[in-house]
Amino acid sequence: MRELTCDVAVIGAGTAGIAAHRAALDAGVKSILIEQGPGGTTCARVGCMPSKLLITAANAAHGAREAHRLGIRVGEVAVDAPAVLARMRHWRDRFVAS
């Protein structure tokens, strides 16, 4: 077993653990984040964050399709599903990596 020395040891890379680790690093102390599972929270990786990004895209498409009710004319609205998923994965991965 490897021995490590640090000022702060955070156990668990959930939302609170990630925030605590980041706060410790920002405070200039040596911090270690201990997690046995995949990095990032369930919420960030597969739960509420990805779903909220997808819901935001769906709401934008819906708003564009219904804009005529406000006297706003737009062309055909097409959802580029691969682009929507790429955006969601980008922001998810960026958050999880932090």
Side-chain angles (χ1 to χ4, degrees), residues 12-58:
T15 302
I18 291 171
H21 180 60
R22 172 59 47 205
L25 293 174
D26 290 346
V29 300
K30 186 174 179 183
S31 176
I32 185 168
L33 180 59
I34 302 166
E35 175 61 61
Q36 74 175 3
T41 66
T42 298
C43 175
R45 288 184 293 106
V46 296
C48 54
M49 285 190 67
S51 66
K52 286 179 181 178
L53 289 164
L54 296 174
I55 290 167
T56 298

